[in-house]
Amino acid sequence: MAKSILIYENGDADKMQIHDVEVGEPGPGQVRIKQTAIGLNFIDVYTRGGLYPTPLPNAVGREAAGVITAVGKRVRGFKKGDRVAYCGVLGAYCEERVMGIEQLVPIPKGVSDEQAAAIMLKGMTVEYLIDQCAKPWLKKGDIILFHAAAGGVGLLFGQWAQARGYKVIGTTSSPEKAALAKKNGYKWVIDYTKENIVERVKEITKGKGVPVVFDGVGKDTWMASLDSLQPRGLMASFGNASGPVEPVAIGILNTKGSLFLTRPSLGGYAATRKDLEASAKSLFGMVKSGKVKVAIDQKYPLAEAAQAHRDLESRKTTGQTILVP
Ligand SMILES: NC(=O)c1ccc[n+]([C@@H]2O[C@H](COP(=O)([O-])OP(=O)(O)OC[C@H]3O[C@@H](n4cnc5c(N)ncnc54)[C@H](OP(=O)(O)O)[C@@H]3O)[C@@H](O)[C@H]2O)c1
């Protein structure tokens, strides 16, 4: 038996309850993993609450690291004792699990379990956003805009973008978060609870606007993001921390300057095993080279997952957060 956080109906953080579950033996193509660290992501809040519908009761958590403790038949490339990490497989809030190897990657030397669990999902998101999705819009020295700069994706994004030669404007909600963002690659930080985003962006870019906005905040920043763009700029709307963007009449992309709009997801960019491996390799390479540093700002025991969700939703966390089984 192992502890697992399950939810039997969507709702607030209290719907997450810890249970003892039978783990069992791995079948063909599967391994059993004893988890050492679990990543907390804002998407866990969406699946818990029902914004992103998922099957119950294994509906929360999709990222973790651990050690393989048993291997089923027809498994190639992984053996007992290997340190591994994954993202994109629901039901990650548990001590131990049996799962297929499709989403598993080995954790390289020089990267800790805690770091791997914290950054697989967020770091591969940063990889595809900067190096794939927005790449055709960007050249070295460009000024770009990223919302929620002191968050989990945000701190990785600032460092990665800086390493690629872009200058980043970040937005945050407090002076403490602004200071943290500045230590993680952001050249300018706007307090979007007090300052006007569009005016500040225009001031920094000398009236030009930015070629790309990366917007994981959603509803509250949608219009300011469009108004911060240069003509023919790209709006990469990749999340909904403040709530989903309302339905849009596409004519707005014309009137705001022949803009491009994308609503990308990691699932779409790491859709094949080849893409997943390439993205993970790039991410771990950035960490091992020291270009992207990974600090764990919050750790909660697995049993306190509900508190971790409350803190994430009320903007109390910064950077990376893990649950410890
Ligand atoms: N599409 C994809 O492939 C993909 C993959 C990973 C993550 N994401 C998205 O990326 C975003 C960041 O994810 P994360 O896990 O790293 O979370 P996070 O940034 O650590 O936390 C969310 C942050 O959003 C900001 N925020 C603004 N308005 C908010 C509100 N009304 N309620 C709560 N927070 C608010 C807060 O920062 P301030 O206090 O500074 O405002 C908060 O800290 C999320 O939208 C997530 O869904 C998308």
Side-chain angles (χ1 to χ4, degrees):
M1 298 290 256
K3 303 274 183 217
S4 185
I5 302 269
L6 304 177
I7 59 170
Y8 287 93
E9 56 177 337
N10 293 116
D12 61 20
D14 296 327
K15 300 286 181 201
M16 296 193 291
Q17 300 289 340
I18 199 150
H19 294 267
D20 285 313
V21 298
E22 197 66 57
V23 180
E25 292 303 317
Q30 293 184 321
V31 294
R32 191 175 63 218
I33 301 173
K34 189 166 171 41
Q35 301 200 141
T36 47
I38 299 155
L40 180 77
N41 290 285
F42 217 91
I43 194 170
D44 303 347
V45 172
Y46 309 145
T47 56
R48 188 206 73 216
L51 178 65
Y52 294 177
T54 44
L56 306 179
N58 279 310
V60 277
R62 51 179 73 212
E63 172 182 46
V67 179
I68 295 180
T69 54
V71 176
K73 287 183 186 146
R74 295 200 291 279
V75 168
R76 303 271 175 278
F78 295 98
K79 61 180 188 323
K80 201 172 157 180
D82 282 352
R83 285 196 315 132
V84 289
Y86 64 86
C87 68
V89 188
L90 277 169
Y93 286 9
C94 62
E95 292 176 331
E96 232 176 316
R97 74 182 300 176
V98 164
M99 61 182 279
I101 59 170
E102 297 81 10
Q103 300 297 117
L104 274 193
V105 295
I107 305 174
K109 280 201 186 100
V111 177
S112 71
D113 287 20
E114 292 192 348
Q115 288 176 320
I119 63 165
M120 276 281 293
L121 197 154
K122 299 182 198 84
M124 284 167 52
T125 297
V126 168
E127 186 278 328
Y128 89 71
L129 284 175
I130 297 176
D131 289 351
Q132 301 188 61
C133 176
K135 203 169 174 197
W137 275 263
L138 294 173
K139 58 182 187 324
K140 269 195 180 171
D142 275 350
I143 302 176
I144 54 181
L145 174 63
F146 184 96
H147 292 303
V153 177
L155 293 190
L156 302 174
F157 185 97
Q159 299 179 74
W160 197 300
Q162 186 182 45
R164 292 286 185 253
Y166 311 126
K167 296 176 190 159
V168 200
I169 306 170
T171 56
T172 60
S173 64
S174 73
E176 296 75 24
K177 287 186 174 186
L180 183 62
K182 284 207 168 157
K183 281 191 196 140
N184 285 269
Y186 291 86
K187 197 164 160 60
W188 306 270
V189 180
I190 300 169
D191 183 335
Y192 53 10
T193 61
K194 296 195 179 76
E195 297 178 281
N196 182 298
I197 297 172
V198 182
E199 281 174 17
R200 289 283 289 119
V201 168
K202 291 283 157 74
E203 200 177 288
I204 293 164
T205 59
K206 301 191 173 35
K208 275 176 67 182
V210 293
V212 186
V213 178
F214 299 88
D215 189 336
V217 168
K219 186 158 75 71
D220 289 356
T221 44
W222 164 254
M223 202 52 84
S225 293
L226 293 188
D227 286 330
S228 298
L229 282 165
Q230 295 170 3
R232 285 175 280 149
L234 173 68
M235 166 67 164
S237 175
F238 69 99
N240 347 265
S242 66
V245 174
E246 302 289 337
V248 174
I250 60 167
I252 198 169
L253 302 175
N254 163 17
T255 54
K256 299 276 179 192
S258 299
L259 302 178
F260 292 80
L261 167 66
T262 182
R263 180 55 177 89
S265 73
L266 178 58
Y269 278 84
T272 65
R273 180 73 200 172
K274 198 170 152 224
D275 292 340
L276 169 76
E277 283 177 4
S279 188
K281 188 173 172 206
S282 180
L283 169 62
F284 290 137
M286 290 294 266
V287 175
K288 285 169 65 172
S289 71
K291 287 181 181 155
V292 170
K293 296 197 171 51
V294 182
I296 309 293
D297 286 358
Q298 295 82 210
K299 287 187 199 182
Y300 299 82
L302 176 61
E304 288 173 26
Q307 189 56 44
H309 274 222
R310 283 184 214 107
D311 291 348
L312 181 62
E313 287 176 273
S314 57
R315 304 162 91 154
K316 287 196 183 124
T317 63
T318 56
Q320 316 311 326
T321 304
I322 57 164
L323 306 177
V324 183

